[in-house]
Amino acid sequence: MASMGNIPEMKIAFSKDNLQNKTIIHLVLLITLGGTLFFYKVSTLPLTDPDEARCGLIVRDMIRNHHWLIPHLESKPYFDKPAPFFWLAAVVQEISGEEESPGRIIAGLFALAAVLITYAAARSIFNPLAGLLAGVILITTGEFLYIARWYRMDMPFAASMWAGLWLFLRAEIKRQNGHEYNRGGWLGFYLFCAMATLFKGPAGLLLPALTVALYLLLSGKPRRFFELFNLKGIILYLLISAPWYVAISLKEPHYAYEFFVRQNIARYTTSTFGHSRWPAVIYIPILLAGLMPWTIYLPGICIRYFPRRWSKRNNSPSILFLWLAVLVPLIFFSLSRTKLMNYILPLFPPLAVMIGGLIAGWVLSNKPDSLMMHGARAAFILVLLLPMAPTAIEIWLGNLDYWIFIPVVASAICAGLMWKSLSQHNRGRFVGWEIAAVIIIYLFAIGHTAPAGFDRMSWQSLVKQAESAIRPHRSDARFYYRSCKIESIMFYLDIDKIEKIAKVNGSVIPAMDDILKSPKPCFCFIGKQKYFDEIKRTFPGKFIILAQHDCRYIIANQLR
C-alpha cells in the first residue's frame, strides 16, 4: 500500500488554494447533480419486468388491502423480502398519487445519502477535493446510477450498510488522531446494520460485521476483535430490527423457514434461484462494466493503494478498511450459488472514495506522474468512445435518430478541451471536462435512450393499446401468457391472476384451441414470434390482434 504520508501534503496544498472551506458548495453541487441524474424522468418511465412491477404490485396491494405487516403478491403472502421498503414506497405513493415513481424516489434518496457519506469519507481520508470527486464519481458510476433509479430495495440496503461502515471508520480515524475513544461509532454501526437488515435480511449485518472483524484482526492487535461485540450496539440492533421479524413470525409460523432458510441460506448455497452456472469470477467483468466510465482508474488505485507487502498493511488503516469493504462482499457473493448483478452494489462507494483520492492527489500535485498520465490518455480515448454506448443501444432498440449527434458532438468537444487542458498542464480543468462529458452522456441516455429501453422491458405501452378492448370485459375475462414476464401485465391491467398457456407435446396449439373456443373473453400475451406464427397458421381468422410491438402480441378470442 502506498504510504499515506502524501495526504497531509495534499491537504496543505488544498489549504493554500483556500478550498477546504467550500463544504457547503460541494454539498450543493453533489445534491444538485445527484438529484438531477437520480430523479429525472423517473415518473414517466414504465415499471419493468419482473422486479420493478413486482414491487409496484406489492405496494398497491399494501395500500388497497392494508397488508402492512405481511406483504402480499397475487393475493398470497410474499416472504422473499421484508416489508419496510414497501412501507416507505407506500407512503410516497400516498403522498404523490403516482405508482411508477415511489420506489424509485426512495432508491434515489438513499443513493443521495450514500453519495454524501462517500463525500464525507473521502474528505476525511484525503481532502475536500477528493470528497467532491468521489461523490461525483459515485453518482456517475454506471451500475450505481442505474440502481439509484430502480424500484427495488437494493439501494437502501447498500446505503445503510455503507453508512454503518463509515460511522465505524469515522470513529477509528478520530481514535488514530488521538481523540478519546468514541463508543458512538459502534452505536451508529449497529443502527444502520439494523436498517439494512430490515431492507433485505441478515446480510445487512453479516457483511459489515465481516468487514469490521477482518479489519480488527488485521490491525496488529487481534484482541480488538472482541470490540465488535459491543453490548449497547447489539441491543440497539435487536430493538430496531427484531420487532417486525418477531411480529411476522408470530403471525405466520412458517415465515422463519421461508425467509431465513429458503430465501437466504438456500439462495446462497443452492441453485434454486438461478444463475448457478455463472463462474465465481463472473463478478470481475460485472464490476469492470458496472464501474464505467471510471474503470480506467482501477489499475491506479490497485498500484497506489493496495498493500504490496503483508507487513505494510497497516501503513494506512483507512485505506485497508476501504479495500476490505470492497473485497469482503466481492468474495462473499462470488462464493454464492445464486449470482445477480446487483449483489455487488456495496463495492462502488469505497471504490469511489479511493478513485476520488487518486485523482485529487494528481490534480493538487505539480509533480510528474507517469501512472496518472497513462490514465489521462485512456480517459481522453474513453470520452471519445462514450457515445458508442447509447448509439449501440439505440440501434438495437431501433430508436436511432439524428439526436444521437448531441452526445457525439459534445464528447468530441469535451475530448478536445481535455487534450488542450492536458497540454497546458491544467489537471483540474482536464478532470472537469471529463466529468462534463460523462454527465452529458448520462443525461442523453436518461432522456432519449432509456424510454425506448424501458418500453422494451415492460408491457405498459401494449396494455394501453389494448385497454379499450379489454376494459369492458375485465370482470369476467381470463388472461393467459406464454414466453414473457407477467408482472407488468398484471400491474398495468390491475389483475391478480394470469395463467400460463400450457404446452402439450411441445406445442401450444391444444391449449390455444380451448382458449379460443371459450365462451368467456380470453386475452393472451405472447412473448415469442414462433408461438404467434404457430397460432396464426393454425387459427386463421379466429382471433383478434389487439396490440403488437416487435415480437410481443396481445391477442383475444372473438369478443362478443
Side-chain angles (χ1 to χ4, degrees):
M1 180 185 304
S3 171
M4 296 301 290
N6 61 331
I7 290 179
E9 179 183 338
M10 287 193 291
K11 287 188 175 181
I12 292 172
F14 205 76
S15 179
K16 288 180 179 178
D17 292 334
N18 197 30
L19 294 176
Q20 76 271 29
N21 296 321
K22 295 187 176 181
T23 301
I24 295 177
I25 296 176
H26 290 172
L27 294 178
V28 169
L29 288 172
L30 291 174
I31 292 171
T32 302
L33 177 60
T36 300
L37 292 181
F38 296 160
F39 302 118
Y40 175 44
K41 299 193 78 167
V42 294
S43 63
T44 64
L45 298 173
L47 295 183
T48 58
D49 284 315
D51 296 291
E52 285 197 311
R54 182 189 300 124
C55 290
L57 286 167
I58 293 169
V59 171
R60 177 190 287 167
D61 176 87
M62 187 173 279
I63 295 172
R64 184 178 293 172
N65 298 315
H66 307 290
H67 290 142
W68 297 102
L69 178 63
I70 306 171
H72 279 63
L73 179 67
E74 299 181 41
S75 302
K76 299 176 183 178
Y78 179 77
F79 295 147
D80 292 26
K81 297 293 183 289
F85 170 76
F86 304 116
W87 294 343
L88 294 177
V91 170
V92 175
Q93 184 164 315
E94 288 283 77
I95 294 171
S96 67
E98 297 180 349
E99 289 195 307
E100 277 89 356
S101 61
R104 294 169 176 169
I105 290 172
I106 296 300
L109 290 174
F110 274 90
L112 272 179
V115 168
L116 298 182
I117 294 166
T118 300
Y119 169 78
R123 192 179 192 276
S124 296
I125 297 171
F126 297 100
N127 54 64
L129 178 60
L132 178 62
L133 290 174
V136 172
I137 288 165
L138 186 60
I139 291 169
T140 54
T141 292
E143 185 170 339
F144 185 88
L145 176 56
Y146 181 83
I147 297 179
R149 298 170 56 85
W150 198 26
Y151 197 140
R152 279 270 300 183
M153 64 291 298
D154 295 81
M155 185 59 73
F157 171 72
S160 298
M161 289 196 298
W162 178 228
L165 290 172
W166 162 238
L167 288 176
F168 169 80
L169 180 58
R170 181 171 174 267
E172 279 293 291
I173 292 172
K174 288 184 176 181
R175 179 178 176 276
Q176 292 159 12
N177 290 335
H179 294 280
E180 185 178 349
Y181 180 68
N182 183 7
R183 296 185 183 275
W186 283 115
L187 293 178
F189 171 80
Y190 278 105
L191 166 67
F192 284 101
C193 286
M195 288 178 58
T197 302
L198 283 172
F199 283 127
K200 212 170 179 184
L205 175 63
L206 179 61
L207 290 174
L210 283 173
T211 302
V212 170
L214 282 172
Y215 171 80
L216 294 174
L217 288 171
L218 296 174
S219 65
K221 299 178 181 179
R223 291 183 180 179
R224 291 200 62 205
F225 169 77
F226 296 100
E227 294 177 16
L228 180 63
F229 302 96
N230 183 277
L231 182 60
K232 290 182 179 179
I234 293 172
I235 292 173
L236 179 63
Y237 172 84
L238 293 174
L239 286 175
I240 294 172
S241 64
W244 179 80
Y245 285 103
V246 172
I248 193 173
S249 297
L250 292 174
K251 184 75 173 179
E252 294 283 349
H254 56 289
Y255 173 79
Y257 170 79
E258 286 291 332
F259 181 73
F260 292 105
V261 177
R262 190 168 180 271
Q263 291 295 331
N264 285 273
I265 297 174
R267 183 180 287 270
Y268 190 85
T269 59
T270 71
S271 57
T272 305
F273 297 89
H275 301 295
S276 61
R277 295 183 180 179
W278 284 6
V281 296
I282 190 64
Y283 283 124
I284 300 300
I286 291 175
L287 174 62
L288 296 176
L291 191 60
M292 290 292 290
W294 307 106
T295 312
I296 55 175
Y297 295 106
L298 193 57
I301 64 171
C302 291
I303 293 171
R304 289 281 164 85
Y305 296 146
F306 199 79
R308 299 179 184 178
R309 295 181 182 177
W310 177 256
S311 60
K312 294 185 177 182
R313 68 188 185 280
N314 286 315
N315 283 8
S316 176
S318 298
I319 298 296
L320 172 64
F321 186 83
L322 292 175
W323 275 117
L324 289 173
V326 172
L327 294 175
V328 166
L330 178 62
I331 295 171
F332 180 84
F333 288 118
S334 295
L335 297 176
S336 173
R337 291 293 302 276
T338 301
K339 295 180 175 66
L340 297 173
M341 294 178 64
N342 48 294
Y343 283 178
I344 63 167
L345 178 62
L347 277 62
F348 296 113
L351 285 173
V353 171
M354 290 188 280
I355 294 173
L358 179 73
I359 298 175
W362 178 61
V363 169
L364 296 173
S365 174
N366 295 320
K367 298 178 181 178
D369 191 330
S370 59
L371 175 66
M372 288 303 295
M373 283 302 295
H374 289 311
R377 295 187 188 101
F380 168 77
I381 295 171
L382 180 64
V383 166
L384 284 175
L385 298 177
L386 278 178
M388 292 179 63
T391 301
I393 294 171
E394 295 203 358
I395 290 173
W396 177 65
L397 293 171
N399 191 48
L400 187 66
D401 56 24
Y402 59 87
W403 289 104
I404 196 65
F405 285 108
I406 292 176
V408 171
V409 173
S411 293
I413 292 172
C414 289
L417 292 170
M418 287 169 63
W419 189 262
K420 180 181 178 181
S421 301
L422 197 62
S423 63
Q424 295 175 346
H425 306 290
N426 192 330
R427 297 174 177 179
R429 189 169 295 174
F430 173 90
V431 174
W433 286 117
E434 180 184 6
I435 292 171
V438 172
I439 293 172
I440 291 170
I441 292 294
Y442 277 129
L443 287 173
F444 176 83
I446 293 169
H448 193 268
T449 309
F454 274 62
D455 187 60
R456 179 72 67 89
M457 296 186 289
S458 174
W459 281 83
Q460 182 210 43
S461 62
L462 278 84
V463 168
K464 283 186 175 181
Q465 292 179 43
E467 189 174 16
S468 60
I470 295 174
R471 189 185 303 114
H473 307 281
R474 187 192 305 270
S475 60
D476 61 342
R478 301 187 70 173
F479 298 90
Y480 300 89
Y481 74 97
R482 186 73 210 183
S483 297
C484 63
K485 301 293 184 181
I486 62 173
E487 286 80 4
S488 67
I489 298 172
M490 298 177 68
F491 182 83
Y492 287 106
L493 278 177
D494 196 6
I495 58 175
D496 293 325
K497 183 179 180 181
I498 184 169
E499 302 172 56
K500 189 173 184 178
I501 301 172
K503 290 176 71 174
V504 179
N505 297 324
S507 175
V508 298
I509 296 305
M512 284 303 302
D513 186 46
D514 293 336
I515 291 170
L516 295 178
K517 289 179 179 178
S518 172
K520 289 188 175 183
C522 296
F523 300 93
C524 302
F525 296 78
I526 309 299
K528 277 191 177 180
Q529 188 68 42
K530 68 174 185 177
Y531 292 124
F532 176 78
D533 291 341
E534 186 179 6
I535 294 166
K536 185 178 179 181
R537 285 194 305 268
T538 309
F539 305 105
K542 294 185 179 181
F543 63 88
I544 303 170
I545 300 175
L546 301 179
Q548 183 268 328
H549 181 69
D550 293 331
C551 60
R552 296 182 298 167
Y553 297 83
I554 302 178
I555 64 175
N557 58 357
Q558 297 290 346
L559 301 175
R560 297 170 178 83

